[in-house]
Amino acid sequence: MGPFRTRAEVEAAVRAEILRTSLGGLPCAYKVTVAEYFQDWLVRNKPRLVKNSFEDYARIIDHLLIPAVGELKLVKLLPPHLQALYLVLGAQNMVANDLVPAITERLAATRTHGGARKLQGTWQYPLSAKRIRKVHAVISSVLTDACEKGLIVTNPATHTGLPPVAKEPPMMWTQARVDAWRETGQKPAKVMVWITEQCVAFLHHLAEVGDRYFALYQLAMSRGPRCGELLGLRWPDVDLNAPGSLTIQGTKTERSRRTIHLGQANVVALRHWRHAQQRERERSGLLWTHSGLVFTDPWGKRVSRHTLRERFLHLSDEAGLPPIRFHDLRHCAASLTLAAGADMKIISDTLGHSSYAFTADVYTNVMPYNDHQAAEAVFTLLGREPA
């Protein structure tokens, strides 16, 4: 009879022996656990992944997937296991089948409640549908690799249902919405965008307090680079000769690799910042970290996203402005560029969106100027003038 119960186990064992060298010495396929394969995948793929992407993959694998189903044999991982994981991630308390209670208990150590922020290794529950889809994308990518190497026949992630992502288009902070927010404390939508006057007020406040990252915030608000793109920007990729430009090497997709023109105000602000950074370097001496990054802390080290975001929230509150997230400065850049009369295709290229259609779809609700002009144009055609 042999040690195998089924023909599938025999075939998996043969494939594993053939591929054992390429897998860095992992045991036979039918003995490889989910934890072993996913950790091996992380090691093999670290060189090709951007730092932020690798860290996000590692968090998902080490703190969500492995605690939940890591002890399972890879060949035994089924769609119901992943479905149960996603159900747990999407709810505080859920008992849908026998798998869910076990996964809930295993993930207990990674949970944080009471509105706490996401920390290294901990997650605020429930996860959003968008975040669950990110978790799924990571899992699916690794399992696709396992399929290509012949360790599993099919990818169980392809047969797993996912929660729908509700589209939340940006909304402008009109005066009426600001008044309602001040009265109730409730934001009208998750994604809010400052109008032009609010953007101007924020920059004026930064100038008044002499904030060290004035150039960063102005660049984010006027040209819309992503947070990761700003924090990973290096001086060799910045041209401060008029009219000025910067080259984004790309952190997400092929279209995210692009050149953005700065505008004179950004050129001036970045020149001032470069001089300030040079003075900090001279004062720090041997303590300075030669990172080559444009935006650094007082010792030349990379600025953390958390630090930048917390600082932004503090500054906007200090300026008396309604709340937006740091990422929403990107939406401010799009709405300001629209108001200036730029074509949607240019805005899509500047922001590095995956497609023009995505840009047009997202920013339908942040076109008050264009919509106002269109409304007046319609009445002009109808021969109706204001009374």
Side-chain angles (χ1 to χ4, degrees):
M1 294 291 291
F4 306 107
R5 293 176 298 174
T6 65
R7 181 185 181 89
E9 287 186 355
V10 175
E11 293 174 347
V14 172
R15 287 195 299 269
E17 288 300 319
I18 295 173
L19 295 168
R20 188 169 182 174
T21 302
S22 66
L23 291 172
L26 283 176
C28 299
Y30 70 92
K31 293 183 179 179
V32 176
T33 66
V34 170
E36 288 172 333
Y37 192 80
F38 274 72
Q39 288 170 332
D40 179 72
W41 183 94
L42 272 177
V43 172
R44 287 186 286 112
N45 287 272
K46 184 176 181 178
R48 73 172 184 83
L49 292 172
V50 177
K51 183 176 182 290
N52 288 338
S53 296
F54 174 79
E55 290 175 351
D56 199 27
Y57 274 49
R59 278 193 294 269
I60 290 171
I61 290 171
D62 292 339
H63 300 295
L64 294 183
L65 180 72
I66 290 178
V69 294
E71 84 290 349
L72 284 175
K73 297 295 186 286
L74 187 64
V75 294
K76 298 292 186 180
L77 184 64
L78 300 172
H81 294 111
L82 298 180
Q83 193 73 66
L85 171 61
Y86 302 156
L87 288 173
V88 171
L89 297 181
Q92 293 284 6
N93 298 297
M94 192 156 203
V95 182
N97 55 50
D98 292 339
L99 287 171
V100 172
I103 291 178
T104 301
E105 183 177 348
R106 291 169 193 156
L107 289 179
T110 72
R111 288 176 172 264
T112 182
H113 304 286
R117 295 185 182 280
K118 185 180 73 176
L119 306 173
Q120 182 76 20
T122 62
W123 304 78
Q124 184 178 340
Y125 283 75
L127 267 61
S128 67
K130 185 177 180 180
R131 186 60 181 164
I132 291 174
R133 284 176 174 263
K134 172 63 176 179
V135 171
H136 173 78
V138 172
I139 293 172
S140 182
S141 179
V142 180
L143 292 176
T144 296
D145 179 78
C147 285
E148 292 172 352
K149 284 185 164 43
L151 271 75
I152 54 178
V153 178
T154 60
N155 184 346
T158 61
H159 306 289
T160 306
L162 293 171
V165 177
K167 289 186 177 181
E168 297 185 64
M171 294 182 66
M172 304 295 291
W173 268 120
T174 60
Q175 189 57 53
R177 289 171 181 154
V178 172
D179 293 340
W181 165 72
R182 294 195 188 284
E183 184 176 341
T184 65
Q186 298 294 316
K187 290 171 59 177
K190 179 181 178 180
V191 183
M192 298 300 296
V193 184
W194 285 335
I195 61 175
T196 303
E197 292 77 9
Q198 292 159 346
C199 292
V200 171
F202 182 68
L203 292 180
H204 281 170
H205 177 71
L206 293 182
E208 287 175 3
V209 300
D211 188 78
R212 65 180 278 109
Y213 296 124
F214 175 89
L216 185 154
Y217 289 122
Q218 179 175 271
L219 181 57
M221 179 185 288
S222 61
R223 305 307 291 146
R226 299 177 178 91
C227 181
E229 294 170 341
L230 285 165
L231 297 182
L233 187 63
R234 298 181 179 277
W235 281 117
D237 295 323
V238 180
D239 179 6
L240 294 183
N241 296 313
S245 66
L246 61 85
T247 300
I248 302 293
Q249 296 297 341
T251 59
K252 295 190 69 174
T253 64
E254 189 65 34
R255 275 177 61 89
S256 69
R257 297 179 177 88
R258 62 201 188 280
T259 296
I260 299 174
H261 293 289
L262 293 172
Q264 189 58 33
N266 279 325
V267 169
V268 172
L270 284 168
R271 283 176 179 169
H272 285 313
W273 165 244
R274 186 168 61 178
H275 291 317
Q277 188 185 59
Q278 180 61 33
R279 290 193 297 271
E280 289 181 342
R281 176 178 176 177
E282 292 169 356
R283 286 196 298 267
S284 299
L286 295 177
L287 296 177
W288 182 261
T289 299
H290 296 271
S291 64
L293 295 171
V294 173
F295 301 110
T296 56
D297 71 6
W299 297 274
K301 296 180 180 178
R302 183 188 179 103
V303 182
S304 74
R305 291 176 184 241
H306 177 74
T307 298
L308 185 64
R309 290 167 177 167
E310 288 298 305
R311 190 186 191 98
F312 173 72
L313 291 174
H314 172 73
L315 287 166
S316 57
D317 181 62
E318 201 175 58
L321 294 167
I324 65 172
R325 305 167 304 168
F326 179 85
H327 184 77
D328 295 333
L329 289 177
R330 185 167 160 82
H331 301 311
C332 291
S335 64
L336 290 169
T337 310
L338 278 168
D343 182 81
M344 187 71 77
K345 179 66 168 63
I346 293 175
I347 296 171
S348 181
D349 292 340
T350 301
L351 297 178
H353 281 161
S354 57
S355 69
Y356 166 81
F358 175 82
T359 310
D361 185 43
V362 168
Y363 293 110
T364 299
N365 283 15
V366 291
M367 299 184 192
Y369 306 95
N370 301 51
D371 192 50
H372 170 72
Q373 294 167 1
E376 295 301 333
V378 167
F379 284 109
T380 298
L381 290 174
L382 293 173
R384 302 285 295 177
E385 297 295 332

